[in-house]
Amino acid sequence: MSAMREHIDLKPYNSFGLSVSARYFIRVQTLEELQEAVSFAKANSLPMLLLGGGSNVLLRDDFPGLVIQMALTGITQTARTQDKVCVTAASGEHWHSFVEHCLALGLHGLENLALIPGCVGAAPMQNIGAYGVEVKDLITEVQVLDIASGAIERMSNAQCAFAYRDSVFKGPLRGKKIVLDVSFELSRSAAPNLSYGALADALADKEGVVTAQDVFDTVCAIRREKLPDPRVLGNAGSFFKNPVLSAEDFAKLQQAHPALPSFAAPGTAGERKVPAAWLIEQAGWKGKQQGGAAVYEKQALVIVNRDHATAEDVVGLAMAIIESVYSRFGVALEPEVQWIPVLENPTNIVGQLAR
Ligand code: EPU
């Protein structure tokens, strides 16, 4: 087993660059190393925190247990039909490199998800999505380790209960299963997905057929323009989810704010998704700094570590934004980033504030 370390600063292991410590820390590269690490935690009654790229977590406090950095690698592929190919990637594979790898093999479907930070194992946890594609559209199966029994299990797409930035792994199975690998069904011939307005606009002047490579290049360009590179400026991507409002609530809000942008929420009865970035910007937060944390000046949905932010700075800014958006629009923002320790009731932060 690679070396177990003690009292480790987690700053290099979370993309926010927050300095909190882990009582124990281990990087695992094989299933056997992972199993040994899990046994160690169980034998010592330690809570466990699994980290991949650490790009979607807000580490609020020192972690009293064992942090396991997942570094299992390996990619395999099996042809299903002449067109469809099943590709399985281990959870520690770097997401963007995996997307590039599939594109280079002529396998399409993941190109809209280029440049999302983090590792493959995090993709099903929060059903990553961008530019018109959610990863649930491509995942066929997830292989997991059951922590209690030690059994290795296969979970179908349906068993993962995917929803907008959500899955069973963030809900009832939180802390119970560890994602080992993820299988995707990709296509050699599928037409690019240009359903996202900003992507279609950016490709509108392209002559000839739009290819998966064009989509990949354009998504990378849009993201590089709008989103801060966590290696340069600490952040965890979108900090909040885009709220989904009932048709009735949306109509009321739109009446009061006619410029309110919105998008259809697929699979719902007339619900509308409203950009949290718009609400935050309108409430005056874009570019604002509080302590060392700030709202990114080019994308109001992203909180950045502007100047040696502490976890308290980020939490304080997030709470101030939630409160302000709620009092201005009556809309309760819910964090998209995973707070560790876990928030007991992420949808009820406003309820707690309003009391
Ligand atoms: N907008 C503003 N102000 C801003 C930025 C955006 O008013 O500062 C408004 C505009 O009306 C714009 C709309 O918000 O049209 C949508 O903005 P954008 O296309 O940048 O997307 P988003 O809704 O802010 C979501 C995802 C991103 C994903 C993009 C593109 C969530 C929580 N976020 O952001 O995902 O990259 O769409 O598909 O759904 C992430 O999850 O970490 C993430 C970055």
Side-chain angles (χ1 to χ4, degrees):
M1 177 151 91
S2 53
M4 179 80 68
R5 296 156 70 197
E6 294 188 55
H7 304 292
I8 289 298
D9 183 356
L10 292 175
K11 191 171 176 170
Y13 302 105
N14 73 103
S15 64
F16 251 125
L18 297 176
S19 193
V20 298
S21 75
R23 177 67 184 84
Y24 295 96
F25 178 94
I26 190 160
R27 173 181 163 86
V28 297
Q29 288 177 286
T30 64
L31 177 60
E32 293 68 36
E33 287 179 359
L34 173 64
Q35 287 166 326
E36 283 179 45
V38 170
S39 301
F40 174 83
K42 281 164 112 177
N44 293 283
S45 306
L46 295 169
M48 270 182 282
L49 172 61
L50 278 293
L51 284 183
S55 56
N56 198 48
V57 286
L58 170 57
L59 302 176
R60 293 195 283 155
D61 212 343
D62 292 339
F63 190 74
L66 171 63
V67 172
I68 302 178
Q69 192 193 28
M70 293 290 280
L72 279 69
T73 54
I75 301 174
T76 57
Q77 64 183 88
T78 323
R80 286 262 185 268
T81 64
Q82 239 179 347
D83 178 46
K84 304 282 186 202
V85 177
C86 173
V87 184
T88 299
S91 58
E93 287 286 343
H94 179 253
W95 176 261
H96 179 70
S97 306
F98 173 60
V99 172
E100 278 183 316
H101 174 85
C102 294
L103 190 62
L105 292 172
L107 301 177
H108 306 156
L110 296 173
E111 53 280 356
N112 297 56
L113 304 177
L115 272 191
I116 294 183
C119 295
V120 165
M125 308 273 302
Q126 52 154 343
N127 181 22
I128 56 171
Y131 302 101
V133 172
E134 282 186 341
V135 79
K136 73 169 172 55
D137 306 335
L138 301 148
I139 290 178
T140 52
E141 204 173 74
V142 178
Q143 189 166 229
V144 297
L145 175 72
D146 183 86
I147 293 175
S149 70
I152 293 171
E153 300 166 353
R154 295 184 169 281
M155 294 179 61
S156 68
N157 180 299
Q159 286 173 315
C160 295
F162 291 121
Y164 170 53
R165 293 297 190 279
D166 202 14
S167 75
V168 74
F169 305 111
K170 279 172 81 174
L173 295 188
R174 178 195 289 283
K176 297 198 165 77
K177 313 273 181 192
I178 297 174
V179 175
L180 298 175
D181 62 45
V182 185
S183 296
F184 305 82
E185 187 175 82
L186 305 180
S187 160
R188 294 189 195 280
S189 67
N193 181 330
L194 299 178
S195 60
Y196 200 82
L199 180 60
D201 292 350
L203 282 161
D205 294 336
K206 161 100 182 26
E207 281 174 20
V209 180
V210 173
T211 63
Q213 184 69 48
D214 294 330
V215 171
F216 175 90
D217 293 341
T218 307
V219 166
C220 289
I222 299 175
R223 290 189 74 102
R224 288 200 171 104
E225 164 65 25
K226 281 193 178 178
L227 298 169
D229 180 345
R231 287 168 304 184
V232 179
L233 189 60
N235 75 89
S238 298
F239 193 88
F240 299 102
K241 290 185 186 177
N242 284 328
V244 178
L245 304 183
S246 68
E248 199 189 348
D249 286 349
F250 173 72
K252 273 191 222 152
L253 196 62
Q254 197 186 35
Q255 206 171 21
H257 306 277
L260 176 72
S262 72
F263 307 92
T268 65
E271 294 180 354
R272 301 289 294 177
K273 202 185 258 187
V274 170
W278 189 88
L279 303 173
I280 295 167
E281 182 173 347
Q282 295 301 310
W285 286 100
K286 201 167 181 172
K288 285 272 165 66
Q289 183 165 346
Q290 194 169 294
V295 177
Y296 190 51
E297 55 280 1
K298 292 190 204 163
Q299 224 299 4
L301 198 47
V302 179
I303 292 183
V304 296
N305 181 347
R306 173 71 60 207
D307 184 18
H308 303 93
T310 60
E312 292 77 38
D313 291 341
V314 178
V315 170
L317 178 59
M319 296 302 265
I321 292 171
I322 291 172
E323 200 166 14
S324 145
V325 165
Y326 187 69
S327 70
R328 174 107 190 244
F329 299 104
V331 174
L333 291 182
E334 186 186 329
E336 196 264 328
V337 169
Q338 291 291 289
W339 294 30
I340 309 287
V342 171
L343 278 176
E344 281 313 316
N345 189 352
T347 53
N348 196 31
I349 296 180
V350 173
Q352 292 159 36
L353 288 171
R355 270 203 300 271

